[in-house]
Amino acid sequence: MSEKVAVFDTTLRDGEQAAGTRLGSREKIVIARQLAQLNVDVIEAGYPNSSPEDFEAVERIGREIEGPAICALSRAVPADIEACGKALAGCKRPRIHTGIGASDIHIAGKFQDERYGRTLEEKRRKILEMAVDAVKLARQFTDDVEFYAEDAGRAERAYLFEMIGAVIAAGARVVNIPDTTGYTVPEQYGALIRSLRENVPGIDRATISVHCHDDLGMAVANSLAGVLNGARQVEGTINGIGERAGNAALEEIVMALRTRADYFGVHTGVDSRELHRTSRLVADLLGFQVPRNKAVVGANAFSHSSGIHVDGFLKQRETYEIMRPEDVGMAESKVVLTARTGRHGLADRLARLGYALDEKELEQAYRRFLAVADKKQEVFDEDLLAIVHDEIHPVPPVYELRYLHIYSGTSAIPTATVRLQVKDATGEGAAIGDGPVDAVYRAIAQVTGTAARLERYEIRAVTSGAEAMGEVTVQIVEGGRKVVGRGASTDVIEASAKAYIDGLNRLASLASAAASPPTVEL
Ligand code: MN
């Protein structure tokens, strides 16, 4: 039997942090449940001390999600670690992930204050002491403690070995060697992992974890080089979302280890048939669309268009296909629902897609489903997901769309009128704009009095064909707070209005939260 490589998902921490958007805890639960279905080994759920919202999300995920270990992030400071301990108090398999800068660049840059020492050497001693103390404190809350040596890729080797040895002696079970800045190349990063195994006393008692960033497009290659050299945990995110150019894409690592098991000689516990669904869910909820040509989960990842390829493919699949679409859950037979499908049939299909809705939610989804089925006759899985995601309200809505009318054409000035429910009252607005969407947004802004700025607007057809549902994603910003709003409809103007209103509702819910919570870049 080959050795297992644990899969550590940080979509909800590193991924969310970078998406520039804050998910509600309901959405985080939906993603976490799907990650459990995917059967990852660890879910990093958030950074509890960064904001009350993050604390609550970690607490809920820890309580409600069964299967994977649930991990919370902290710096090597007592307040952070205690917040992790508290947030994970109701969790069956809690893990605390703590750590500190290991490179001289980080030590000199982030610990300038004299209380950390005057010379670089004094600071190094102090940082080492803080690392050990952090692990010991974390161990008071759980046996499962992971330590990260931030910017390990650029750290001086002898000092890194000393630090990793000291934290293992203090009780760290997993040691994470992040390439925080995406600076290393595969041979070099692999050699770094190997050097740890050869030089750190007690390294056999810990699992080495790799955490790579994609600044030079080598996050996945670096992670795999780490595995070849003895790392037995890989960290990454779904679709590779994350700080700057992103984290290592977990779906690519998983499929590389699986497809080339002959070469790597290891396996993961991931159910690869859940990859496509997970990818779609994360893209939808975070408002980050997957490029069509993306490896493993892109829409074109398994399509063959050149004549010679198609011919070869039809004769024998293996000629041009190293993975099968069904291996990543792409070719699952699409049961087509129609307006004649009842509540039971819909609930059944949704359950197979991973959604357990309560009675009220099902009723809402069913009404939306009928409206869509009425317009486009055949409803595909993708349409259902768009409907369900549209119905997941992270917050009680302040604004609801009641009525929308637009007047537009090649020789007309686009004009929109809207009526919104605003708490117990209704408000009406009318505006002209550069186009129908602009006019609608101006009319909505008139009613809500919002000062929010539209930063990004994306529209996507959920399924193919002229009657496809349109899904609109917007990013809006107000007072330093960024949110993503989504809306889906067979009418793209209506989808646009819904996305904007969804964003405004999210902003309203954040009004009391801190403008930009502190983050840890690791
Ligand atoms: Mn990171």
Side-chain angles (χ1 to χ4, degrees), residues 24-158:
S25 63
R26 171 85 200 263
E27 294 162 300
K28 283 196 166 189
I29 287 278
V30 169
I31 292 177
R33 191 164 287 136
Q34 179 56 34
L35 290 169
Q37 195 87 357
L38 181 65
N39 205 29
V40 301
D41 299 275
V42 187
I43 296 173
E44 187 160 60
Y47 174 16
N49 209 28
S50 67
S51 71
E53 290 80 12
D54 238 31
F55 184 95
E56 192 213 312
V58 172
E59 195 176 37
R60 273 195 69 182
I61 291 170
R63 240 185 1 238
E64 293 179 30
I65 302 301
E66 306 249 323
I70 306 300
C71 178
L73 184 76
S74 71
R75 293 167 299 172
V77 295
D80 274 21
I81 297 163
E82 281 154 12
C84 290
K86 228 188 259 172
L88 292 172
C91 175
K92 270 192 206 146
R93 296 185 56 204
R95 172 179 292 189
I96 295 179
H97 190 188
T98 189
I100 200 161
S103 68
D104 288 346
I105 298 170
H106 273 235
I107 292 172
K110 288 162 79 173
F111 301 95
Q112 286 178 7
D113 195 297
E114 285 211 350
R115 71 193 150 106
Y116 299 110
R118 278 188 305 261
T119 64
L120 180 64
E121 192 48 37
E122 278 174 24
K123 287 183 197 293
R124 280 182 167 191
R125 291 304 113 203
K126 179 67 184 170
I127 299 306
L128 194 65
E129 195 184 301
M130 287 169 70
V132 166
D133 288 349
V135 169
K136 284 184 178 160
L137 178 59
R139 279 295 301 259
Q140 291 181 16
F141 297 100
T142 173
D143 289 343
D144 190 0
V145 173
E146 173 170 339
F147 178 84
Y148 63 85
E150 204 178 346
D151 203 24
R154 292 191 296 180
E156 199 243 330
R157 289 291 168 93

Side-chain angles (χ1 to χ4, degrees), residues 10 13-14 178 180 211-213 243 247 520-522:
T10 183
R13 204 276 303 168
D14 224 340
T180 308
H211 179 116
C212 298
H213 278 267
E243 289 288 349
N247 287 62
V520 173
E521 283 206 21
L522 92 91

Side-chain angles (χ1 to χ4, degrees), residues 145-228:
V145 173
E146 173 170 339
F147 178 84
Y148 63 85
E150 204 178 346
D151 203 24
R154 292 191 296 180
E156 199 243 330
R157 289 291 168 93
Y159 180 65
L160 180 65
F161 297 156
E162 188 185 358
M163 180 183 269
I164 297 299
V167 297
I168 292 172
R173 273 191 187 173
V174 181
V175 288
N176 175 12
I177 312 300
D179 181 23
T180 308
T181 51
Y183 179 72
T184 63
V185 295
E187 284 77 6
Q188 193 182 19
Y189 189 70
L192 171 66
I193 300 302
R194 178 190 297 263
S195 74
L196 286 161
R197 288 180 54 219
E198 288 168 351
N199 292 285
V200 174
I203 193 75
D204 292 340
R205 282 185 280 133
T207 300
I208 299 177
S209 184
V210 292
H211 179 116
C212 298
H213 278 267
D214 211 31
D215 296 71
L216 294 172
M218 290 188 276
V220 169
N222 283 339
S223 304
L224 294 172
V227 169
L228 278 175

